[in-house]
Amino acid sequence: MSSRDPRYDILFEPVQIGPVMMKNRFYVAPHADSFGMSKIDEMIAYRRARAEGGWGAVCTGETMIHETSDHAPFICTRISSDSFIEPLSRLTSAIHEYDSLAGIELAHVGSSCPAWSFREHPIAPSAQFPRLYNNPVAARKMDKKDIQNFRKWHRDAAIRAKKAGFDIIYAYCSHDLSLLQDFLLQSTNKRNDEYGGAFENRLRLLKEVLSDLKDTVGDSCAIALRFAVEDRRPGSDLTAQGEGRRVVEALADIPDLWDVNVSDWGWDSGSSRFFEEGAQEPFIKFVKQVTNKPVVGVGRFTSPDAMVSQIRRGNLDIIGAARPSIADPFLPIKIDSGNIESIRECIGCNVCAGEVMNNTAIRCTQNPSVGEEFRRNWHPEHVPPAEDGSKSILIVGGGPAGLEAALTLGKRGYQVSIADAGNEWGGRLVKERRMPGLSAWGRVVDYRVEQLQVMPNVQMFLASSLTANDVEGFEADHVIVATGATWRLDGSGRSHDKPIPGWENENVCSPDKILDGDLPKGHVVVYDDDYYYMATVIVDKLVEAGCKVSYITTAPSPSPWTFNTLEQEHIVRSMVEANVDIRVGTSISRVEESSVHITREYSVTGVDLPVDGLVLVTGQLANDSLYYDLLKKHESGTIRSLQRIGDCVSPALIAQATHDGRLAGMNY
Ligand code: ADP
Ligand code: SF4
């Protein structure tokens, strides 16, 4: 067993946070999981895994203090009545089992409240137009009594949190999802009493709430403030040089812990396509110069060297993480035990956020056990041993699904062979990781291949395109087919139940040709009927190559699924900056030799757009022919046991492929 590199000792120093001591500098920052109180066992198992993995503190996500803070349809934890003390105390007990501190993010979402569940009217510093989720619900202005109530809800919630056993209790002023931030920002606070207008007035409520929390529970609980020092959205009045800094100066030593970030969520949890590890550093680094209290921040930190550097350079005292802890709950233990090469690094794809945005429980591309800790009893690191380790398993296809199946079965002790037709492991990711902004996605492959290569019970064969007869000749006890999918060439898909007339023209291609590096020239239309990342990544690639690009989508907004991954705003901005001609709600009804015929939604007539090339990003087809050939052999008894997984069942997210791989590996 290797031991910790002394360079990382600093990460394992204890940190005093007000009245409580954290055993090391690893901190699971508050983050949404979409379990809510109705799936509290799932939530406890999910957070417990992070405590088990060595994090010094594990926090809840937004926990609503009152029914006027109603984030439905989004699913959150609640502490708005005494009935929630018991379930939440089961959470703190689970976290305490591993000597971790339990934190709770008390939240009131203010004017960002769609008010669907409880049918209270949303409240705000001043009357607000509906702001989020296209909901036709405006917030009403709070009067003095409301402000007193709001403070009391915080005090009551803090007392409940203390009773439930929490060690760290938050006030929340971030992400454009907080009533406290509504009061702070000039854009949302138009009051002209002592809670509005001048900076000191807009700050008043935050200061009062912090003091209330300290007075109520501060004797034994640390009081943390989650604060966005800068609102990165264009046009915002909150900047790290301006009022963001003034807030930290004004409140410097009031909270026991400063948890600082940038706002809104799409800038805080920036995807790797647009943000590097540690991207918030320029905004938050001033905080430690202003306060004597410990400072925690996030930055998709997966490298222990980057973490140490943050501390040594005086930017942070504590390394906060949501996504790195989602992808690898055992990250601290791996650093502590000198196993940094086995860290399952977050790829920054934001599929975890995507699930939360869709009100489905959290999941992760890299870590298929996420969200399955309770339901399937999956552990992030451990797998049950093989029932019979002499059994042989052949996996055909070395993409995310095949690699994860191989890893799970290999760890369990089976005799595993994995073959791929290509010259490199990774399936779809061999090429996708080379597209603009997607290099970090290659970690899905590297993490698995590095481990498989040293397993004595795993054999790996590249450049091995297997036929059904080859597979039969292998005489494996079990065969798993993971042969992936191929982009359609004919344009049929979501909006076209038939091929698009003219798709056979020479100027038309599918994403696979672009992924192969065979790029068209001149004016190219990228047609997005897929709605996720592929079309706009191709746009980036073509722009880089000097093409004039038109992006046409049948959707009402560009790349709509990336709204869920918090990327849409960044994608649109980058296309606008690159002078891409963007046309939404538009379909292509036929292709000519040097033009495409396009029609706006609801209009009867279309126009011809002259183009040199067209990339049809519409849909994928499963590569399932090998599977069906093998099925015949299975039915005739020459293949003992057979299944298929991943995109060759039906094309989906990479997260689905890794999940399928884990499921196949666990169920054998
Ligand atoms: P998934 O996301 O489901 O893992 P991918 O498309 O990423 O699917 O990976 C599928 C892999 O299967 C590709 O690398 C491809 O080369 C490989 N493959 C497809 N057909 C065969 C075959 N007959 N023999 C070996 N490998 C194959
Ligand atoms: Fe990271 Fe993607 Fe997993 Fe989220 S889903 S934790 S971004 S790898």
Side-chain angles (χ1 to χ4, degrees):
M1 171 106 176
S2 37
S3 59
R4 182 164 90 208
D5 186 326
R7 278 182 303 164
Y8 307 139
D9 286 353
I10 193 171
L11 299 173
F12 294 87
E13 290 171 354
V15 185
Q16 188 74 41
I17 308 176
V20 299
M21 180 75 88
M22 191 166 92
K23 67 180 177 183
N24 59 31
R25 296 182 190 263
F26 295 93
Y27 191 95
V28 176
H31 63 272
D33 53 37
S34 221
F35 291 123
M37 299 313 288
S38 63
K39 287 192 181 165
I40 190 76
D41 290 325
E42 282 89 335
M43 196 268 235
I44 292 170
Y46 167 77
R47 307 258 171 202
R48 179 208 296 267
R50 274 85 207 144
E52 185 189 350
W55 298 83
V58 177
C59 300
T60 67
E62 286 176 325
T63 304
M64 301 304 170
I65 60 170
H66 190 258
E67 295 189 351
T68 50
S69 183
D70 171 7
H71 222 191
F74 300 102
I75 302 166
C76 300
T77 34
R78 306 195 69 80
I79 193 157
S80 44
S81 83
D82 287 353
S83 63
F84 298 121
I85 296 174
E86 187 281 327
L88 290 172
S89 69
R90 288 194 281 122
L91 170 68
T92 60
S93 301
I95 294 170
H96 289 156
E97 264 176 55
Y98 300 97
D99 290 330
S100 300
L101 301 177
I104 182 165
E105 186 181 52
L106 302 185
H108 193 297
V109 293
S111 62
S112 304
C113 162
W116 277 5
S117 272
F118 298 108
R119 300 178 189 180
E120 296 276 349
H121 290 267
I123 54 175
S126 34
Q128 298 280 327
F129 297 110
R131 294 202 308 129
L132 288 179
Y133 324 127
N134 300 328
N135 231 33
V137 177
R140 71 172 171 83
K141 178 183 175 183
M142 292 165 74
D143 61 22
K144 293 285 170 54
K145 180 73 184 154
D146 293 317
I147 291 176
Q148 293 310 315
N149 285 341
F150 175 74
R151 291 177 60 182
K152 182 168 182 320
W153 300 335
H154 264 100
R155 289 195 300 272
D156 291 348
I159 291 165
R160 291 183 197 116
K162 182 176 168 177
K163 282 188 187 157
F166 285 99
D167 310 286
I168 302 169
I169 298 181
Y170 267 85
Y172 179 47
C173 183
S174 186
H175 293 131
D176 193 34
L177 291 174
S178 157
L179 185 58
L180 287 168
Q181 199 184 28
D182 289 343
F183 267 84
L184 191 64
L185 299 187
Q186 294 173 49
S187 54
T188 42
N189 183 344
K190 311 284 185 199
R191 300 177 76 92
N192 50 18
D193 61 3
E194 68 269 33
Y195 287 96
F199 169 74
E200 290 72 20
N201 288 351
R202 285 180 280 114
L203 184 67
R204 187 178 310 279
L205 187 58
L206 176 56
K207 202 169 179 178
E208 288 173 346
V209 165
L210 284 172
S211 303
D212 289 345
L213 292 177
K214 288 208 95 167
D215 291 347
T216 317
V217 293
D219 57 335
S220 57
C221 300
I223 305 304
L225 173 59
R226 193 166 213 201
F227 176 59
V229 296
E230 174 147 328
D231 184 13
R232 298 285 296 136
R233 290 167 307 160
S236 175
D237 49 82
L238 183 67
T239 63
Q241 292 86 35
E243 289 199 345
R245 186 181 179 105
R246 287 179 72 190
V247 170
V248 184
E249 285 169 350
L251 305 177
D253 290 339
I254 298 179
D256 298 310
L257 174 68
W258 281 92
D259 179 344
V260 286
N261 61 6
V262 295
S263 193
D264 61 3
W265 194 16
W267 291 89
D268 185 18
S269 295
S271 77
S272 59
R273 187 170 161 192
F274 297 97
F275 298 90
E276 298 289 337
E277 182 173 358
Q280 300 195 29
E281 177 177 330
F283 307 99
I284 56 98
K285 66 180 178 187
F286 78 87
V287 177
K288 257 188 70 62
Q289 293 153 18
V290 178
T291 175
N292 295 310
K293 296 302 172 94
V295 177
V296 59
V298 293
R300 218 173 61 245
F301 296 118
T302 57
S303 143
D305 293 302
M307 297 175 194
V308 168
S309 164
Q310 287 295 325
I311 293 163
R312 293 240 182 264
R313 287 184 295 121
N315 294 335
L316 297 172
D317 299 293
I318 300 172
I319 303 301
R323 290 169 294 173
S325 77
I326 298 169
D328 197 340
F330 277 59
L331 189 150
I333 282 185
K334 288 177 182 176
I335 299 173
D336 196 19
S337 57
N339 288 317
I340 59 170
E341 69 294 335
S342 68
I343 293 173
R344 195 169 41 243
E345 291 183 290
C346 166
I347 68 166
C349 62
N350 281 2
V351 161
C352 47
E355 297 298 329
V356 169
M357 296 289 276
N358 276 308
N359 320 314
T360 48
I362 190 166
R363 73 153 103 181
C364 172
T365 304
Q366 268 286 51
N367 177 6
S369 70
V370 167
E372 302 288 12
E373 296 88 351
F374 179 79
R375 188 170 78 119
R376 296 191 194 270
N377 200 20
W378 285 0
H379 190 276
E381 295 300 313
H382 308 311
V383 289
E387 279 177 19
D388 177 353
S390 68
K391 288 265 168 92
S392 61
I393 294 150
L394 173 63
I395 299 163
V396 189
L403 290 171
E404 176 60 31
L407 185 60
T408 307
L409 290 158
K411 277 183 167 179
R412 292 187 63 195
Y414 287 105
Q415 305 306 308
V416 177
S417 300
I418 178 166
D420 195 283
N423 295 318
E424 197 179 324
W425 295 107
R428 60 191 280 182
L429 281 170
V430 170
K431 290 168 188 164
E432 288 185 23
R433 70 188 295 179
R434 297 188 168 102
M435 294 295 279
L438 300 190
S439 63
W441 291 26
R443 293 170 170 185
V444 171
V445 183
D446 300 342
Y447 163 74
R448 288 167 176 82
V449 170
E450 276 163 28
Q451 294 188 67
L452 286 167
Q453 279 170 338
V454 295
M455 286 183 173
N457 55 328
V458 174
Q459 303 216 50
M460 304 181 75
F461 306 98
L462 281 174
S464 305
S465 179
L466 303 189
T467 63
N469 286 340
D470 295 334
V471 174
E472 185 180 20
F474 216 88
E475 296 186 358
D477 292 306
H478 184 54
V479 174
I480 298 176
V481 181
T483 46
T486 306
W487 285 95
R488 287 173 184 265
L489 287 169
D490 64 6
S492 51
R494 193 188 296 272
S495 309
H496 299 271
D497 58 2
K498 292 194 269 300
I500 297 176
W503 68 269
E504 307 94 331
N505 268 319
E506 265 186 16
N507 57 354
V508 181
C509 71
S510 81
D512 283 317
K513 198 164 173 206
I514 309 292
L515 288 162
D516 283 336
D518 187 357
L519 306 186
K521 292 194 170 54
H523 179 195
V524 184
V525 167
V526 179
Y527 185 47
D528 187 2
D529 199 32
D530 169 62
Y531 296 181
Y532 192 18
Y533 60 93
M534 183 55 75
T536 56
V537 166
I538 288 174
V539 168
D540 289 350
K541 181 88 185 165
L542 295 174
V543 166
E544 258 177 36
C547 298
K548 176 179 175 214
V549 182
S550 294
Y551 168 87
I552 296 181
T553 181
T554 47
S557 64
S559 198
W561 207 82
T562 62
F563 176 75
N564 300 313
T565 54
L566 317 176
E567 295 174 292
Q568 189 183 38
E569 171 190 356
H570 307 302
I571 288 171
V572 175
R573 183 178 317 101
S574 88
M575 290 203 293
V576 168
E577 282 169 4
N579 287 322
V580 172
D581 163 39
I582 301 173
R583 300 180 194 221
V584 298
T586 303
S587 63
I588 293 180
S589 48
R590 66 172 189 272
V591 186
E592 310 285 352
E593 212 165 282
S594 54
S595 67
V596 292
H597 190 76
I598 58 174
T599 312
R600 288 291 305 271
E601 204 178 357
Y602 306 121
S603 83
V604 243
T605 52
V607 292
D608 288 319
L609 181 69
V611 292
D612 302 304
L614 168 65
V615 188
L616 293 173
V617 190
T618 56
Q620 298 175 70
L621 276 177
N623 300 329
D624 52 12
S625 58
L626 177 67
Y627 172 76
Y628 283 111
D629 290 347
L630 290 170
L631 192 59
K632 283 189 210 132
K633 290 183 182 286
H634 176 53
E635 283 162 0
S636 67
T638 57
I639 298 274
R640 279 189 278 280
S641 169
L642 173 71
Q643 74 178 120
R644 60 177 165 161
I645 59 173
D647 290 344
C648 84
V649 182
S650 66
L653 298 179
I654 296 169
Q656 180 67 37
T658 52
H659 186 274
D660 275 17
R662 174 67 64 94
L663 190 61
M666 294 294 272
N667 282 356
Y668 185 65

